Amino acid sequence: MKTETTGIYDVAVVGAGPAGLAAALNAAVRRKAVVLFGASRSERLLRTDSVENYLGLPGESGASLLDKFAAHVEQFSNIERRRENVQIIYNMGDAIGLLLAGNAIVKAHSVVLATGVSFGKPLPGEEQYLGKGVGYCATCDAALYKNRPVIVVGYNEESAEEANFIAETASSTVFVNCTGRSLPLSEKVREVQQKPLEIIGCDHAEGLRLEDEVISADGIFLLRDARAADTLVPGIALEGRHVAVDAGMATNLPGIFAAGDLVGLPYQINIACGRGQLAGLSAARYATAQTAKKRA
């Protein structure tokens, strides 16, 4: 649901794990128009067979908890779910802009980042060839690799969807399945279950070295649950690998809040949900203030 008078959402939430869902829910309860980005539901939690320290729900699996969280959020008609990946977030003056694939832009008065924190180190060659054949969104850059060979390295369920999408235009598509699960893949996609070791190339990425083979490609996409916050939001302040926030989950950038594992230890579901609720409340208040300013 968009704000009818401005076409701007009150709150945009980036990330659909526990913190993101809690933020969206808390903003929606306050009658804000919310857009929730993120198809992924937290790979780390999906792999958890039993959660013993979630108050009132002992022994639930991570997947079961996520299903219950998502079902709760779906009860609110003022939360719009979108599966696209947000490429960059920036201040547009009258609002905060979220750039999507195909240069589509969504505007919001406030944003909650709940993208999680990456626990793995970048692959050797990843940072060197970023923007030179290496990217983080296969659906965004599919047109650049028409009739060219592509590799998709997938760490979550949604990466299979991106591999299927780009396979419609690429000359060949290899999916390196790092999830440990069977995923639905197009017959046009070759699946490989090996550990990626290194991205190789010269001036441009030229291939991926795996445990047992080297695969050549013009484009290599690394699809993880989390990416570095400062690449998503230029100018955001960090404390080590985490986003720096105050007691209300506000970052150093006006209108941008953060929650969940992204803001620091401890990495627990209870903590993520609590931080998400607080960030959603702060973002809703900020949106209210921005709307009042425009009416004044």
Side-chain angles (χ1 to χ4, degrees):
M1 183 178 85
K2 293 185 180 180
T3 307
E4 293 182 3
T5 55
T6 63
I8 301 175
Y9 292 94
D10 293 312
V11 179
V13 179
V14 183
L21 293 171
L25 176 65
N26 217 30
V29 167
R30 284 154 182 79
R31 300 183 179 180
K32 299 304 177 184
V34 180
V35 58
L36 174 60
F37 289 98
S40 177
R41 302 189 306 152
S42 174
E43 282 294 307
R44 191 161 60 94
L45 194 51
L46 284 172
R47 295 191 185 104
T48 303
D49 294 329
S50 180
V51 178
E52 300 300 336
N53 65 344
Y54 196 90
L55 184 64
L57 295 170
E60 290 272 349
S61 70
S64 175
L65 274 178
L66 283 169
D67 286 341
K68 290 177 179 178
F69 295 164
H72 192 175
V73 168
E74 288 170 3
Q75 296 176 21
F76 288 81
S77 60
N78 54 329
I79 299 176
E80 180 181 336
R81 291 293 305 267
R82 298 185 64 159
R83 298 178 67 85
E84 298 106 313
N85 290 320
V86 176
Q87 300 305 301
I88 195 166
I89 299 171
Y90 60 100
N91 192 313
M92 298 182 69
D94 65 328
I96 298 170
L98 297 93
L99 180 66
L100 311 179
N103 293 322
I105 297 174
V106 168
K107 293 183 179 181
H109 290 305
S110 62
V111 172
V112 175
L113 301 176
T115 54
V117 61
S118 177
F119 291 93
K121 295 181 180 179
L123 279 177
E126 177 178 339
E127 296 177 338
Q128 178 182 354
Y129 297 115
L130 183 61
K132 300 177 181 179
V134 172
Y136 299 122
C137 180
T139 56
C140 307
D141 296 335
L144 299 176
Y145 294 96
K146 184 176 181 180
N147 298 323
R148 298 166 69 185
V150 165
I151 298 170
V152 175
V153 183
Y155 295 88
N156 55 37
E157 292 180 351
E158 290 69 38
S159 57
E161 297 179 15
E162 295 213 30
N164 291 339
F165 180 86
I166 202 167
E168 294 300 318
T169 55
S171 62
S172 65
T173 304
V174 176
F175 180 69
V176 182
N177 189 346
C178 298
T179 69
R181 298 192 301 277
S182 176
L183 300 176
L185 291 168
S186 163
E187 60 182 14
K188 297 179 181 179
V189 177
R190 174 194 168 202
E191 182 179 8
V192 174
Q193 296 189 10
Q194 296 181 44
K195 182 180 179 180
L197 301 179
E198 178 187 13
I199 297 171
I200 58 176
C202 188
D203 296 326
H204 189 279
E206 297 175 358
L208 180 67
R209 188 185 307 280
L210 303 171
E211 292 173 300
D212 297 326
E213 64 179 306
V214 174
I215 303 175
S216 297
D218 291 339
I220 302 169
F221 296 95
L222 306 167
L223 307 183
R224 305 185 179 98
D225 271 351
R227 62 184 268 205
D230 54 345
T231 65
L232 180 64
V233 190
I236 198 165
L238 302 179
E239 293 180 348
R241 73 194 319 188
H242 302 115
V243 172
V245 294
D246 65 13
M249 299 290 113
T251 72
N252 64 307
L253 301 177
I256 298 182
F257 304 84
D261 293 352
L262 184 63
V263 303
L265 296 167
Y267 300 146
Q268 294 184 351
I269 305 171
N270 291 326
I271 301 297
C273 289
R275 288 169 171 166
Q277 288 179 325
L278 182 53
L281 174 60
S282 297
R285 287 174 174 166
Y286 186 90
T288 297
Q290 292 301 105
T291 302
K293 284 182 183 179
K294 291 184 177 181
R295 290 175 178 171

